[in-house]
Amino acid sequence: MTLDTTRDAANETMPRDGMSIIDTDRYPLDQPDSDALQQEITQARAGLEKDGCARLSGFIRPEAHAALAFETTALSPLALHSSEEYTPYGSGPDDSFPTDHPRRRAHRTTSGSVTRDLIPTDGLIQQIYGNPYLIAFIAACLSAEEIYQFADPMRGLIINSMDEGNVLGWHFDANEFIVSLMTRRADEGGMFEYCPGIRAPGNENFEDVKGVLDGKPDLVKNLDLQVGDLQLFKGRYSLHRVNQIEKGARHTVIFGYARQPGFIGSIASTMKVYGRVMQEHIDAEHARQTDGLAD
């Protein structure tokens, strides 16, 4: 069944809210004290503690997959495909470091990004992102009393769109953790690879990062995500990438949450990755990360 033939059926049968498409039998988000949800929270915490990564399989009901795929596919032509090269730290090469140093090792990422300001506010992914039950659930998985949606008008919600030949190079995220939802899976390629906890606040661990960039596999894990899977990932501390798409397309929706309210990305990294900034980035430039790590 193609996306075109499922559009009308999806629109007729799928309510436009962020709860209806979630498998609430397995993930009863509106029953936070239930045994079923507490079990999922416990498993997610264990994964985050061990690998900085928790995969919540089948989070989205199978009958909703087509509607989500249609939505991200329809928006994917709006994606900016950056042609610039940058290091794993979201910036250009720093010539003050040796040639083989990670701060000087640049790569070209060819995936595209559709930013939140381009995504309709009544869309399914917007409704999921703002769902208060989901936000409370993610906070519980992170052992946090509360988490907050990004104040960043662009980074808060991103569709990462990858076509054949695209690759998302090794990088760290600007925020401590990221929540993502796969809506389309590539027919071939597009594997998510990551290095759990390769750095920590105050410790860049350049030696191991260099080893990964040099192609040493010892620190690298693979995660074969499926459509409808929700992933919690501590991407600020774990180097990660998506390898080349060999056939088909791969779409993931990235939900931006933070432990503190008001998170807005830096002007430099936002411009580098998304090709533009908004007034909110300019106004917030004075408030940056304080964990001693490069963005």
Side-chain angles (χ1 to χ4, degrees), residues 61-74:
R61 294 193 286 115
E63 55 267 35
H65 290 180
L68 280 175
F70 180 85
E71 186 166 288
T72 56
T73 298

Side-chain angles (χ1 to χ4, degrees), residues 85-106:
E85 293 189 347
Y86 54 90
T87 71
Y89 308 94
S91 58
D94 187 336
D95 293 342
S96 66
F97 290 92
T99 304
D100 62 347
H101 193 281
R103 292 294 300 271
R104 197 169 173 178
R105 300 272 289 274

Side-chain angles (χ1 to χ4, degrees), residues 88-89 97 100-103 105 172 195-214 218-220 236-239 291-294:
Y89 308 94
F97 290 92
D100 62 347
H101 193 281
R103 292 294 300 271
R105 300 272 289 274
F172 293 101
C195 310
I198 198 170
R199 72 175 185 175
N203 179 17
E204 292 282 5
N205 191 14
F206 288 127
E207 182 177 353
D208 281 345
V209 173
K210 179 180 179 300
V212 174
L213 299 181
D214 288 340
D218 296 355
L219 299 174
V220 180
R236 185 155 180 81
Y237 308 130
S238 299
L239 190 67
D291 59 8
L293 297 175

Side-chain angles (χ1 to χ4, degrees), residues 8-193:
D8 291 339
N11 286 341
E12 290 176 3
T13 62
M14 201 59 56
R16 306 299 290 180
D17 66 74
M19 231 13 217
S20 60
I21 68 172
I22 296 169
D23 184 350
T24 50
D25 292 330
R26 181 172 177 182
Y27 303 97
L29 303 187
D30 57 347
Q31 302 173 46
D33 296 326
S34 66
D35 290 342
L37 196 66
Q38 286 300 313
Q39 181 178 349
E40 295 296 338
I41 291 170
T42 298
Q43 292 178 353
R45 287 176 175 176
L48 290 167
E49 177 67 25
K50 179 184 177 183
D51 287 334
C53 181
R55 173 184 180 178
L56 303 170
S57 300
F59 190 78
I60 299 298
R61 294 193 286 115
E63 55 267 35
H65 290 180
L68 280 175
F70 180 85
E71 186 166 288
T72 56
T73 298
L75 291 167
S76 63
L78 300 177
L80 173 71
H81 292 259
S82 175
S83 61
E84 293 191 57
E85 293 189 347
Y86 54 90
T87 71
Y89 308 94
S91 58
D94 187 336
D95 293 342
S96 66
F97 290 92
T99 304
D100 62 347
H101 193 281
R103 292 294 300 271
R104 197 169 173 178
R105 300 272 289 274
H107 56 268
R108 191 177 299 278
T109 286
T110 51
S111 69
S113 298
V114 182
T115 54
R116 186 180 188 182
D117 59 310
L118 302 177
I119 300 172
T121 57
D122 62 348
L124 278 174
I125 57 177
Q126 288 270 21
Q127 302 307 310
I128 297 170
Y129 175 51
N131 186 304
Y133 291 117
L134 174 62
I135 295 172
F137 171 63
I138 294 169
C141 291
L142 292 163
S143 301
E145 289 189 8
E146 193 170 2
I147 60 171
Y148 304 86
Q149 291 177 274
F150 279 8
D152 193 311
M154 294 171 61
R155 292 191 188 214
L157 182 64
I158 298 287
I159 300 172
N160 179 251
S161 174
M162 301 181 69
D163 299 320
E164 289 185 19
N166 285 179
V167 61
L168 183 61
W170 288 114
H171 67 285
F172 293 101
D173 293 332
N175 191 45
E176 176 194 347
F177 63 90
I178 287 293
V179 180
S180 63
L181 173 67
M182 174 165 279
T183 64
R184 289 191 68 178
R185 183 175 181 271
D187 297 325
E188 295 179 16
M191 181 68 69
F192 181 79
E193 301 179 336

